[in-house]
Amino acid sequence: MSQFAVMGCPIDHSLSPVIHQAFGELVGRSVSYERRRVEAGGLAHALEAFAAQGGLGVNVTVPLKTEAFSLSRRLSSRALRAQAVNTVSWAEGAVVGDNTDGVGLIRDLRDNHGLALRGSRVLLVGAGGAAWGVVGPLLDEGVAQLAITNRTAARAQALVDSLGDVRASVFLADDGDKPFDYVINATAAGLSGALPALPETVFPGAVAYDLVYGPRAQGFLSHAQRCGARSALDGLGMLVEQAAESFFLWHGVRPPTEPVLQKLRMPS
Ligand code: NAP
């Protein structure tokens, strides 16, 4: 049976094993997929040990995505743009890094929710690893404006500077005078029950999306709806779609995502 794992810390909450095993069943592959708790600084050793026991692929999550980027001997263009790796495989013994977060968000918005991004005004909140992963794919989808804001303003500026695209700018107070089509929360604020600071004027008519999923996304999504957002979506679909892309990289087969999403949405 081919062996895969997700590594990070904390890791107990990760749904990745459930998702990958469900994909395996749907496409008729036997997949062993486990969680491994790996703290910052421990990834090189953990990857080596996993490869030595026959491991074929690893998903990497907080706080290891930058570490995985540094350890990769080969990088996909998506990983290079994101400066972060969430999917590891091996080729001729060398670590190969890719990043499937951006494509996961786009497929969730576009394919699962039937939403168009072309020509839209997008406000992205956050400038951490997840934000770096999604900005390139959002621009590729043809958004007209990508305003970025972050609690630590200098990090938003650095992300805008890295893009070198006239459509990308740091969010200014005036930008909120005209509502956005999308307000995407790529911060970890929901994990601690906090809300990112935003003027209420950005929400009316917008699709509000939180990369966090489940109850921890509700604070932001309920607030957005109270401020007039037309719909409120959590990041579960993105999680499943980024996993599907990792599965495709490892197995060469694209699994159906809808049955897995339905299963995860069912009350337990
Ligand atoms: P990260 O690199 O640690 O960055 C965290 C970001 O959140 C930074 O922009 C940080 O701002 C901001 N932040 C943290 N606490 C905040 C608060 N209380 N108020 C306002 N801003 C706050 O983490 P990441 O990798 O970007 O991940 C961000 C979130 O996305 C995580 O919750 C993660 O679970 C989620 N995610 C979901 C998926 C999915 O598939 N659904 C994929 C990737 C990530 P500062 O710069 O000021 O610290």
Side-chain angles (χ1 to χ4, degrees):
M1 194 186 286
S2 42
Q3 292 181 62
F4 300 88
V6 58
M7 297 183 181
C9 183
I11 203 66
D12 292 348
H13 68 287
S14 174
L15 290 175
S16 294
V18 177
I19 295 172
H20 279 267
Q21 268 146 17
F23 286 160
E25 282 163 26
L26 285 164
V27 304
R29 303 255 169 141
S30 288
V31 173
S32 149
Y33 191 110
E34 61 183 279
R35 297 181 187 94
R36 287 203 176 181
R37 185 173 183 277
V38 177
E39 290 181 6
L43 187 61
H45 178 69
L47 288 180
E48 221 170 274
F50 192 60
Q53 69 170 67
L56 298 180
V58 172
N59 282 128
V60 171
T61 184
V62 176
L64 304 172
K65 291 184 186 180
T66 312
E67 211 168 310
F69 179 81
S70 309
L71 290 168
S72 297
R73 290 294 151 262
R74 286 195 220 159
L75 289 161
S76 69
S77 54
R78 300 187 294 206
L80 267 171
R81 267 172 121 185
Q83 297 283 295
V85 160
N86 78 335
T87 307
V88 164
S89 53
W90 284 268
E92 292 146 15
V95 175
V96 179
D98 203 337
N99 190 308
T100 65
D101 281 339
V103 76
L105 172 66
I106 301 298
R107 288 201 184 127
D108 189 38
L109 288 170
R110 193 188 58 199
D111 304 342
N112 297 339
H113 297 292
L115 294 164
L117 286 157
R118 184 161 299 282
S120 62
R121 295 180 76 229
V122 178
L123 173 59
L124 180 72
V125 191
W132 275 76
V134 302
V135 283
L138 284 169
L139 290 168
D140 289 349
E141 283 299 296
V143 303
Q145 185 189 358
L146 179 61
I148 301 175
T149 184
N150 189 48
R151 179 176 64 179
T152 307
R155 293 183 80 194
Q157 184 67 59
L159 181 50
V160 168
D161 292 347
S162 79
L163 291 167
D165 188 306
V166 290
R167 295 171 295 161
S169 59
V170 169
F171 173 77
L172 302 170
D174 293 2
D175 292 332
D177 293 349
K178 194 172 153 210
F180 283 87
D181 299 303
Y182 295 90
V183 180
I184 300 175
N185 184 11
T187 75
L191 302 186
S192 55
L195 279 180
L198 286 175
E200 293 186 0
T201 51
V202 301
F203 289 111
V207 172
Y209 191 105
D210 198 326
L211 268 59
V212 172
Y213 53 84
R216 293 179 304 182
Q218 280 319 306
F220 174 76
L221 296 179
S222 301
H223 174 71
Q225 284 190 305
R226 278 194 299 274
C227 297
R230 75 178 163 101
S231 57
L233 308 169
D234 78 357
L236 189 65
M238 173 179 171
L239 181 79
V240 172
E241 294 299 335
Q242 63 78 29
E245 184 70 7
S246 295
F247 190 95
F248 173 70
L249 291 169
W250 294 330
H251 302 273
V253 183
R254 204 168 281 290
T257 51
E258 182 55 31
V260 180
L261 250 174
Q262 265 182 25
K263 185 176 156 186
L264 293 174
R265 293 260 184 231
M266 272 188 324
S268 49

